Amino acid sequence: MLTLPDHRTGLLQRGTSGPAVVLLHSLGLDKLMWDPILDQLAVGRRVFAYDLRGHGEAAGSPRPFTLHDTARDLIAVLDELELVTAHVVGLSYGGAIAQTAAIESPGRFASMSLLATTDRAFPDVFERRAVSAEADGMRTQVDETLTRWFTPAALADNTLGVQYARESVLALDPADWAAAWRSMKELDAQGKLAHFPAPVLVVAGGADVSGPTAVLRQLADGIAGASFRELPGVPHMQTLEHPEEVAAVLDEFLPTA
């Protein structure tokens, strides 16, 4: 467990030496989202994954909260781990948090990898998801959410990744879900990372209906020197359906000892 300024959270770690990599998970899931790629990333690196506020072992942390609160949490995690800098990897909500922290504290980043994310808010959509869970509970969120996250084939097969995601969404407190979606309404990174000083990798999934390739390509084009990769056939939940491809692209980008 890690003790942050206003709550405690859970931590996974793999690897004992090499550059530090910190992983930020998607909204509605937890640090276990990264489990399929942890061992490969940990070869020659120290890899850390923690639960974002309102999720996993950080469920029930103070609400409401802002995207800036989650960005400050990232910096607090680096401080707790005694890391001056880290290679930060964020998927979806985690990518929004990474960008917000990168705007506020660019010197804490050795690099940034943005997977299946966006640099702008869609307030009406995010508020609708928050209100729906508050009014009708988490069970009403499952089908729409999983359809955004996975391919039809994975849903039909009810893969382990789909099962984990379904159970995670069902277990979430509607108040935490709503607070996270409302924090996303504050995302405002477009054009603010044009001259970000550290290397950046942007990874799109070719089958991602939630974060289309065009959105990710535009994000990459807005950051000088950013590398862009599209993974054909890969949906929004990249690590849960195609972990080998995701691990390979990150392994190529991130340095080792």
Side-chain angles (χ1 to χ4, degrees), residues 5 55 136 187 196 205 218:
H55 295 77
D136 301 316
L187 177 59
F196 186 64
Q218 186 176 37

Side-chain angles (χ1 to χ4, degrees), residues 69-159:
D69 291 329
T70 65
R72 285 189 286 269
D73 290 343
L74 170 58
I75 303 307
V77 167
L78 298 185
D79 290 342
E80 283 293 301
L81 297 174
E82 299 182 343
L83 301 174
V84 176
T85 64
H87 298 272
V88 177
V89 181
L91 189 149
S92 194
Y93 185 49
I97 293 169
Q99 291 174 81
T100 303
I103 293 166
E104 297 176 356
S105 304
R108 302 303 297 270
F109 285 70
S111 74
M112 180 167 60
S113 298
L114 301 172
L115 284 55
T117 191
T118 181
D119 57 3
R120 73 204 72 178
F122 302 91
D124 292 344
V125 174
F126 300 160
E127 180 63 20
R128 177 180 60 79
R129 292 172 185 166
V131 169
S132 176
E134 289 173 326
D136 301 316
M138 293 308 301
R139 190 165 296 278
T140 62
Q141 308 305 305
V142 173
D143 288 346
E144 179 188 353
T145 299
L146 296 188
T147 298
R148 292 198 312 269
W149 284 358
F150 295 96
T151 63
L155 293 172
D157 290 342
N158 195 30
T159 64

